[in-house]
Amino acid sequence: MDKTLKCTVYRIRGSVSASNYIQLPKTSTQSLGLTGRYLYVLFRPLSTKHFIIHLDLSTKDGQVIRVSLSNLFKEFKSTATWLQFPFICEAGMSRKDLAGVAPPGAHWTFLQLDLHDILLVYLNLRYSHLKRVRLCSSLLVRSLYTSDLCFDPEESLSCEHSEVSGVSGPNGHRQEPSACADATDKHATGNGLQVSVRKLAVVATDLEDVAVNESFLPDPVLRLKGVIGFGGHSTKWALWTKDGSAVVYPCHAVIVVLHIDSFEQRFFLGHTDKVSALALDGNNSLLASAQAQTPSMLRLWDFQTGGCLSLFRSPVHTVCSLSFSSSGALLCGVGKDHHGRTMVVVWDMDQVRQGGETVILTKVHTDIDIQAFEVASFDETRMVSCGRGSVRLWRLRGGGLRSCPVDLGEHHALEFTDLAFGQAQDSRTLYVCSRSGYILEIDHQRMAVRHTRRLLPVQTPGSPLPQKQTFSSGPGIAISSLSVSQAACAVGSEDGYLRLWPLDFSSVLLEAEHEGPISSVRLSPDGLHVLSTTSLGYLGFLDIPSQEYSVLMRSHTALVLALAIECSRGQLATVSQDHTVRIWDLATLQQLYDFTSPEEAPCAVAFHPTQPTFFCGFSSGAVRSFSLEAAEVLVEHRCHRGAITGLVASPDGSLLFSTCSQGTLSQYHCVTTCSRVLHVAANVVCQDTCLSPNALTVSGDSHLLAFVGPSKYTVTIMDASSLDNLLQVDVSTLDVGSSRLDSAVALCFGPAPTSHLLVSTSSNKVVVLDSTSGRVVREVYIGHSEPVQAVAFTPDQQQLLSVGDAIFLWDILALPESIRGLLGTPLTCDAGLNARQLEDPVSGANGLPRQQVPVPSQTPPPWLGIRAGPSEGSDGTFSVLDDEGPSEESHGAEGLHPTSGPPVLVQKEAYGAGDGACGVARGLCSFGMLTHTCGWPSKQGAQSTRRASAQPAVRPDSYKHFTARYKASQMAKNVSFPAAGDELLHLKTVVGYNGNGRANMIWRPDTGFFAYTCGRLVVVEDLHSGAQQHWFGHPEEISTLALSHDAQVSILTRGYSARHRVLASASGRGGSASCCQIRVWDVPGGSCQQLLSHHCTAVQALAFSLDDRLLVTLGDYGDCTLALWSTATYELVSSTHLLEPMHGVAFNPWDTSELACVGQGALTLWLMQHCESDINLKVHQEPIPEAVGAGELTSLCYGAEPLLYCGSNAGQICVWDTRARRCFLAWGADNGEIGVLLSSGSRLVSGSNTRRLRLWAVGAVPELRRKGSGASSSSVFMERELTLDGAIVSAVFHDSMDMGVVGTTAGTLWYVSWAEGTSTRLISGHRSKTQVGLAGYPQVNEVVFSPRESHCATCGDDGSVRVWSLASMELVIQFQVLNQSCLCLAWSPTSCGHPEQQHVAAGYSDGTLRVFNISQTAMELKMHPHPAALTAIFFSADGQTILSGDKDGLIAVSCPRTGMTFRVLSDHRGAPISTIQSTNKEYREFGVEGTDLWLAASRDQRVSIWASDWLRGHCELVDWLSFPAPTLLKDPGCPPPSLAAFCPWDRALLVCTGLGPHPEVIFYSLCQKQACTCPCGAGRGGSWGHGSHYPVPHICCLQVVEKIPLPFFAISLSLSPGAHLIAIGFTERVLRLVDCVTEATQDFAGHDDWVQLCRFTPSAHLLFTAAHNEILVWEVTGY
């Protein structure tokens, strides 16, 4: 009972918020489903405590975003899935005190959150509902509810008519919203209660003043109408459409389609940086574009509708060229990787049109220069490239891309710039041009140069100018581009001429001179027009029949600084950094005038409102008035000493204002043409030279003047006539979530109401301020890829102009105030279906409470699958972040009816919006019984396979299909392993499960047998004791497993035949093997009994027949082979080639002579006919009925006789009658691809790539089969649902289906209990950072141990730090940091003084260092000592100091108690730090002071040894070592790291290995040194290392005690603290153990990738090794 509120409240208290909380609902699988827009919480923080409130919000597209508020947060932080808002406990606190514990006497707080605007503004997502609430200590809570009504605490509310979604209070009654009468920020009720009111709406501004605002109607409120500009990143990309009626070109981040007749523009919006390359396929159906920002993102567009089909990241960092094949099936890209090497990538586009993703067919690196690359139109497997000194022909064959050079002879040194294939009958000819004027005709079939010509300027005597062009000898004209048609060749050169030649180059047919060098030329498909672009931003075309040249677009060649609009004539004036002032026609977007000022740069411009004049300010401080009629200067003023930064005229035409960089404001009287100066005020305007010219504005009524000043963080509002100061607004603290101060860039008064002032800030936002109070009204987003320089409304208030990288003209879609007043109510969408109607009404996939039990329809609803672009029927409107889904727009008879959605930039024309909506509606309503019956095809099994085998293997767009993880390493050859019984290491435990496998987990509840795969190992584990067996033998990653049924398989044991249960496992081929391996294991003995090989790439699935007489193996997409094996002799009895890749196979449990496969478009049934010892297969295919709406079957399982269940890539489950051979039932079971199906009795389990595991009651399905079309499907429903941590890849359940084990792509094995509705983690490892539902490849980066060896900690690329119990290897604690990689770890030593306080320090990829308290399960400290990613970290010997190194070579010394970094060492600058280690020493040991001895090794083969005493501020260099690099290295791009460690059994020894002349381990004595005798001269004073102030001797110049040779270069190293043992890991997947006493070595294999980590435990009894995400724990024996 709370004494203040006089009612019962919840009290949540406790020191650890993670274990003291209230969560609604109780379990994570449930959802509140509260759809109200506003959330209201009445709570009170406990004094001197921290509290946290977590809200899980579900979006329209199914994402879950966590929004957290806490006084623990010091600043606002945002990730893709988490928003953290700092909470101010008391008003009036300074910025530095925004976060902190609640003060004594904290008031009850009424918190209002606008959930819709929070997601919209910060993440551009659409809010769906509130899924979960967690209230963590320490606070008191009275009530919590949501509502669509915005309650104002300053007004009295009546709630009897409101519909409120509430959460029950402590007494079990529903909590209704209370009236808050006479409430302001802090207000008192009648009983003296004080309540603080907090609102959080669009932005995290001052929480006391944020006003809740209404959304724009319509939403989006802006539509892009026109763009003035061309190019941005490059001016070479301009393409013709297929019919020649339009051209496609980029303008910075926007792609424009311009019709050459009407000058209408169409836009493709979505890129966030300048477009660097374009490509259009031959059918004008696909448009590809790449943006310049690294890493380069590519977008594939439906060219007709404008929808984005796919968005994907290119392995090329900067794509400079794109080229489609004529059919659009292939896309080739050329660019540079992060090392600056040229890379060519080929993508497969086949799946994109069906909603799938692009697939990389191949990518190659090359050292040649590529300036142009093109796919041949006559053969899409052939390409050609040209560049500096090379013309190469490329060919795609067998999944690889190979090239060969053309013999250029004497022209081998030319710099080639462009190429073109001949057309039709001239298709064998390839034309190539060069920068020295040469044009080569090459026969690409014979790879020979046919003709050579050269473009030359010919001068007449006495004439300095070229008169005519010819092709003879002499200095040439640089040719930048050429294009070829059937009759002519167009050539563009850097002298500005476009020339048209016949194909024999006998004479010039046409010639057109341009104002600058030509960048590209393109002949139209009909050969009648020549499109040309120039480096000065001109785009135009030459009409060959009429010989007329038309300019399509002009543009500024530099940043546009300012704009001004002329009201009566509809003109636009712009000034740019290219020293030009340009006047444009707003109706046609064409340029009217161009003024150039080469000496003075124009800075600002303004039109006179009533006279035909305009004003321009210059960098010299001059302000000039120009007459548009007479084209002359009317008057000039020079009252400024600095460059003009602002210029604006009052709307009534009476006053003109100007500002300069010296802070001066001038006022002019400009009623007449000869204006005069009225006032000059000094030091009132911001003196920042980078200020926008539009940092000065006048209100629409000419009464107010606003400008940025006196500082860039302040906006001042004055009276326009008297220049009296009225208001100053500090914009630097408007966003409390920002880590830096924001500044004003440009200003503009809104048209209505005039009291609104728009402020463009340095964070690329536009903030709307109330000019009377200074309060923030709202924020909006404009959409430029670079900072917005200025914004302005057009005179009719129907359009908005914004300038920056280009000139953008926007339509304002909001209806005028007068029309909105007539309507009376907000606009709603009544055309088509809204977002909720489009959802599956019964599936519950969106997380909302289900209205009814899901019932399958016998004609399923359309697939609402996961895709990366607009759905079919989209109107072509889309957001800047296109993967958030399209927004629709419909035009009905009653006006514009927009649907709700995030603010997006839309095209002017809408394509098929109405049709798309109606199409979806029709699909949802068309239910009916499937009547499709199909007989057995007669000759389908005899089809030829030549066509299929000739095509390159393309991976199906199905997550169910196995793809081995890419590994650059290969298993070492000729490695000798120790004899049995002599091993020094014994594999004890494997940590991890391979989530990349498919059906790679086995569990038999009756016997308790449990097996799974991890890399190349089969792990058999006892679920009760945790003991493991490990079956070695596979050379590569294991893809799948299968277990025989009832011990019917014959095994030859000790010469006798016995029947044992066997396990089959399959892996890829290893080394030089031509086929992959299938191993058959004896389960009781754990030995491999048979080794089978037949498939060439990988095995997709394995299955034993019910009688265990046959084993079927199914190859993957690269193999496409089905094979049958006899388990009696394990001989191949039958094999057949498949026309299409198959995803799964299963034997018929009632007929052992039949098996089924699922794949693309059909269900395939195989009948086995025995012929003596062989088996003949007869194939029959049953097509998927069209009503099912699925293109691919991905999973299958047999149910009750004669039912066969199949899952599809569209989320449907189809039921087939195997007797009648027909599909009689289907229902939408999921939103994604179903990859796992299991059936037993009356239950069915489905698992998909949406992470959902569902249990279905299918007991009525046999009855539905018998009833036919008259059957009712109401008895088929979903019983249970669980959401796991990744896509489902394997599952096994008990016969009762009550419990089972499930594997996911996250590398986790779950125990699932349907009875309890719970999932328990059995096996887990570090998971991927990739998207949910997709298999990723995480990496374990470090393993550290507690001093007492009770626990160990690991970190990985997934951003997690995991603490394990060393005895059981069970996960105890996990710390997770989102969107970061944890790269290094260190455990604090026992010498810290508090042995009970155990700490782990972790370094992350963003340069932060976090200290975790293991005892309290909390993060104690977060530091940011590095600007780059941390790569090494270590505690000092006393634990009072942390040493950390980053990838830039900086070493920071920090205090873990205070979080301060008190020293930074830059001696290794330029090379990543690979190792840091510290140990203690005697004070003057080794001749230096200090008690700490530590080392640092960097990847440039250098090691430094230091002695320090941090308490005294002492740090001294002891020695430098460097390894000379070898002359030859197998992989120069990835050299081995430099590794060093202090020898634990002799403190005077240092052990080093790394890149050197030979692979070896070197023992170096810290006490002895030798004179240098090598040429480096280190002994004669030393040689200086790179970036260092200390001598760097080679290791050969220092005292080497011992050398141990190695077979390969080491990449990991660990020294045993007990015995004299060294563990070394190699890239060749081998672990070597070296006995330093006897120099004996033993090699061990177990990992399927390079061994990047080796770590002995402190007791030396265990050795941990890691390869990628696999952790192997070895037991050290014999010592």
Side-chain angles (χ1 to χ4, degrees), residues 221-482:
V221 74
L222 295 179
R223 178 180 62 195
L224 187 58
K225 180 181 181 181
V227 173
I228 301 175
F230 166 66
H233 181 267
S234 172
T235 57
K236 65 179 292 187
W237 294 106
L239 311 174
W240 285 105
T241 57
K242 183 178 180 180
D243 56 3
S245 63
V247 296
V248 186
Y249 62 91
C251 181
H252 297 270
V254 178
I255 302 172
V256 184
V257 180
L258 177 64
H259 291 268
I260 61 176
D261 295 330
S262 62
F263 284 88
E264 292 183 356
Q265 293 181 347
R266 186 161 65 95
F267 309 103
F268 293 84
L269 302 174
H271 282 290
T272 58
D273 196 47
K274 295 178 175 63
V275 175
S276 61
L278 284 178
L280 190 61
D281 72 345
N283 299 321
N284 278 189
S285 60
L286 285 179
L287 174 68
S289 57
Q291 68 183 39
Q293 185 181 21
T294 58
S296 185
M297 299 297 296
L298 270 71
R299 285 181 178 264
L300 290 176
W301 313 83
D302 187 323
F303 185 72
Q304 303 303 323
T305 65
C308 182
L309 301 177
S310 180
L311 169 66
F312 57 97
R313 177 175 293 181
S314 168
V316 180
H317 269 226
T318 304
V319 176
C320 60
S321 178
L322 290 174
S323 178
F324 266 114
S325 63
S326 58
S327 65
L330 296 179
L331 175 65
C332 297
V334 180
K336 301 286 186 180
D337 64 5
H338 62 283
H339 294 296
R341 296 186 62 194
T342 301
M343 180 187 290
V344 181
V345 186
V346 181
W347 290 274
D348 181 15
M349 300 286 109
D350 283 341
Q351 300 298 324
V352 175
R353 294 182 176 89
Q354 285 76 36
E357 296 295 329
T358 58
V359 177
I360 295 180
L361 292 180
T362 182
K363 56 182 178 180
V364 295
H365 285 86
T366 178
D367 294 327
I368 65 171
D369 176 60
I370 297 180
Q371 295 294 327
F373 191 96
E374 188 172 339
V375 182
S377 59
F378 51 84
D379 185 353
E380 62 185 19
T381 65
R382 296 180 182 271
M383 304 92 176
V384 64
S385 68
C386 69
R388 185 180 296 106
S390 73
V391 176
R392 298 184 77 89
L393 303 179
W394 302 75
R395 187 169 186 180
L396 183 65
R397 176 185 291 179
L401 189 63
R402 297 172 176 85
S403 67
C404 59
V406 176
D407 185 6
L408 302 175
E410 60 179 337
H411 307 296
H412 67 277
L414 297 181
E415 182 178 354
F416 297 101
T417 56
D418 201 4
L419 58 89
F421 281 99
Q423 303 295 318
Q425 69 275 9
D426 193 33
S427 61
R428 292 181 54 181
T429 304
L430 173 67
Y431 297 85
V432 185
C433 62
S434 72
R435 197 168 297 280
S436 55
Y438 283 95
I439 297 180
L440 275 60
E441 295 181 30
I442 299 173
D443 188 334
H444 58 79
Q445 291 185 353
R446 298 181 179 178
M447 298 178 60
V449 178
R450 184 186 300 165
H451 296 289
T452 301
R453 298 179 176 90
R454 195 176 191 190
L455 179 62
L456 299 169
V458 177
Q459 300 178 2
T460 59
S463 175
L465 298 177
Q467 301 296 323
K468 183 181 179 182
Q469 283 70 37
T470 184
F471 283 103
S472 59
S473 61
I477 297 176
I479 302 175
S480 54
S481 179
L482 62 83

Side-chain angles (χ1 to χ4, degrees), residues 1092-1169:
L1092 312 178
S1093 61
H1094 177 69
H1095 302 278
C1096 63
T1097 53
V1099 176
Q1100 173 67 21
L1102 300 168
F1104 284 94
S1105 61
L1106 192 63
D1107 57 6
D1108 288 331
R1109 296 179 59 188
L1110 295 174
L1111 169 67
V1112 62
T1113 59
L1114 178 65
D1116 70 343
Y1117 70 97
D1119 179 77
C1120 284
T1121 302
L1122 180 78
L1124 279 174
W1125 308 79
S1126 169
T1127 57
T1129 60
Y1130 284 101
E1131 293 181 352
L1132 181 67
V1133 295
S1134 183
S1135 177
T1136 182
H1137 189 81
L1138 306 174
L1139 297 178
E1140 298 287 347
M1142 297 292 177
H1143 304 306
V1145 63
F1147 276 98
N1148 190 330
W1150 323 292
D1151 187 355
T1152 56
S1153 64
E1154 181 181 299
L1155 58 87
C1157 293
V1158 289
Q1160 185 172 5
L1163 169 69
T1164 304
L1165 300 175
W1166 303 83
L1167 295 179
M1168 292 172 281
Q1169 295 181 343

